[in-house]
Amino acid sequence: MKPPHCDRAGAAGAGAWGWGAVWWEGGGVPSFVYDALPGRIVFGAGAARTALAAEVERLGMSRLLLIASERDAGRGLTAPFAGRVAAVFTAVREHVPVATAEAAREAAAGADGVLCVGGGSAVGAAKAVALTTRLPILAVPTTYAGSEVTPVWGLSDGGVKTTGTDPAVLPRTVVYDPELTATLPPELATASALNALAHCVEAFWAPRRNPVSSAVAEEGVRALAAGLRDGDPAQLLLGAYLAGSAFAVAGSGLHHKLAHVLGGLGMPHARTHATLLPHVLAFNAPGSPEATARVARALGRDDVGRDDAVAGLHAVTAAAGIPRGLAELGLAEDRLDEVVERTLPAVPADNPVPVDAAALRRLVRAAWAGQAE
Ligand code: NAD
């Protein structure tokens, strides 16, 4: 009997969840493995002002390295425990160049913990420190990037980005405060929210997907769509947390493999994700009807048809003023072959639609031109 929501019609023995998951005869639940990640979440308006000192105390941090941009270091959040801040590192950079990681590690000498306040770039620098020092991280995100709930680190060097997974870089505590993300300029807020949306969408087909990560991802899409519609930082931040959590468990698939290569080429992180996402969803849609149905359901848009996830995503990105193609974001046409070559070996074997060089080239060109394949 074909399972009721098998993504790949006729896929022998493997259901929607991949890695040979088997369906319980007569039921709609696949076998699955779910590695829950540890971490304490404190969420609330004003939490960075009212709860941070107690969380520093709770982690027993007495000689902190504060990692934050000049702007975020200037928010005054450490005033209640200023005596515990031993050093401040403000030279955060997107995609954590190796030189940035080394400088942050030097600044961490003598520290017993890292407090990072900022977007994925500040969290990334904190992770680079934890990777070699094993110092605990307390994270206070100011964007919707979601890095604060993943054990994934990234470093870039000479146009190439390297990532890896290490439990030591997963922040012990995250303080989410929507008052902080409320200061994001509108275009950046939207791009960042769409970066979070990409985590949710990808979680439906990424290699370690399971019913728990998919449920979290669907709720994440719903919160992000509501937040984008209503301009509500609290909904967006909740969605970003759910998105990061789903992605951290499910892993990285075709979309992130492409974004990763583009990031190494210096493309802006959040806006690249936002532009790329509808194209990757369109590419994978024929092989993942359940994922697309869940995305469409969570987006819940009447204007483009409630069952059309790709049109729904295009409508969300268009309303946000996100470019339809990577060319508009500055990717030169003569880099497309390189993007294909670098991405192809990293694409998971169980991507919902088979990916060979020709198919990937079509996808990359369509995403570059901003047109349907
Ligand atoms: P970012 O941290 O570089 O921030 C983008 C810009 O917004 C910066 O200029 C920053 O100073 C500014 N900014 C941040 N918060 C602000 C606020 N509240 N108000 C006003 N301005 C603000 O960008 P990002 O998209 O958050 O993070 C991108 C980085 O994070 C990339 O290096 C990416 O690879 C990494 N990342 C890693 C993971 C992971 O799991 N490892 C996940 C997502 C992103």
Side-chain angles (χ1 to χ4, degrees):
M1 184 180 77
K2 188 172 165 245
H5 38 250
C6 177
D7 263 11
R8 291 183 188 186
W17 314 104
W19 28 258
V22 290
W23 292 80
W24 174 51
E25 192 58 37
V29 181
S31 309
F32 66 92
V33 174
Y34 167 45
D35 282 316
L37 292 167
R40 175 177 163 88
I41 305 297
V42 178
F43 190 109
R49 279 181 288 106
T50 58
L52 197 51
E55 295 306 320
V56 167
E57 174 73 31
R58 198 168 189 277
L59 288 171
M61 295 173 167
S62 58
R63 295 183 312 282
L64 280 169
L65 168 64
L66 169 65
I67 297 184
S69 67
E70 294 281 358
R71 189 200 50 255
D72 289 321
R75 287 181 188 263
L77 299 178
T78 55
F81 51 93
R84 296 186 187 222
V85 180
V88 182
F89 180 83
T90 57
V92 296
R93 300 279 177 274
E94 202 171 40
H95 305 305
V96 198
V98 168
T100 302
E102 282 164 5
R105 287 167 187 155
E106 267 175 43
D112 61 5
V114 182
L115 167 64
C116 56
V117 181
S121 298
V123 178
K127 286 178 165 182
V129 171
L131 186 63
T132 54
T133 63
R134 320 313 270 176
L135 287 175
I137 301 175
L138 196 171
V140 184
T142 65
T143 70
Y144 307 119
S147 178
E148 66 283 350
V149 284
T150 83
V152 179
W153 54 266
L155 292 171
S156 64
D157 194 11
V160 178
K161 194 168 163 186
T162 307
T163 57
T165 299
D166 188 326
V169 309
L170 179 69
R172 304 279 177 90
T173 302
V174 182
V175 174
Y176 281 111
D177 182 348
E179 287 181 6
L180 301 186
T181 55
T183 63
L184 278 164
E187 204 253 355
L188 195 54
T190 307
S192 191
L194 289 165
N195 179 195
L197 197 61
H199 292 148
C200 297
V201 173
E202 181 109 304
F204 290 123
W205 60 60
R208 297 189 305 277
R209 63 197 175 273
N210 60 67
V212 182
S213 57
S214 294
V216 171
E218 187 170 343
E219 193 52 33
V221 176
R222 211 183 322 280
L224 290 163
L228 283 164
R229 190 189 56 230
D230 303 340
D232 177 356
Q235 284 284 355
L236 289 172
L237 198 55
L238 176 63
Y241 161 51
L242 297 172
S245 306
F247 171 66
V249 167
S252 163
L254 175 62
H255 174 86
H256 277 80
K257 300 303 179 192
L258 273 166
H260 170 98
V261 169
L262 292 164
L265 295 178
M267 299 286 289
H269 178 82
R271 286 188 298 151
T272 297
H273 272 274
T275 301
L276 194 57
L277 183 62
H279 298 284
V280 180
L281 183 64
F283 180 85
N284 270 350
S288 55
E290 194 206 344
T292 44
R294 292 180 86 149
V295 172
R297 189 164 65 209
L299 285 175
R301 294 183 72 102
D302 284 322
D303 50 344
V304 291
R306 284 190 165 258
D307 57 351
D308 192 337
V310 177
L313 265 191
H314 273 305
V316 168
T317 52
I322 297 293
R324 215 172 152 102
L326 297 169
E328 259 187 84
L329 278 185
L331 181 67
E333 189 172 9
D334 61 9
R335 307 302 293 262
L336 299 189
D337 285 345
E338 185 184 348
V339 172
V340 172
E341 274 162 36
R342 286 201 198 172
T343 306
L344 191 58
V347 178
D350 68 345
N351 188 66
V353 167
V355 181
D356 58 15
L360 191 56
R361 202 169 292 119
R362 278 199 307 278
L363 166 59
V364 169
R365 178 152 287 279
W368 177 80
Q371 290 162 355
E373 244 193 283

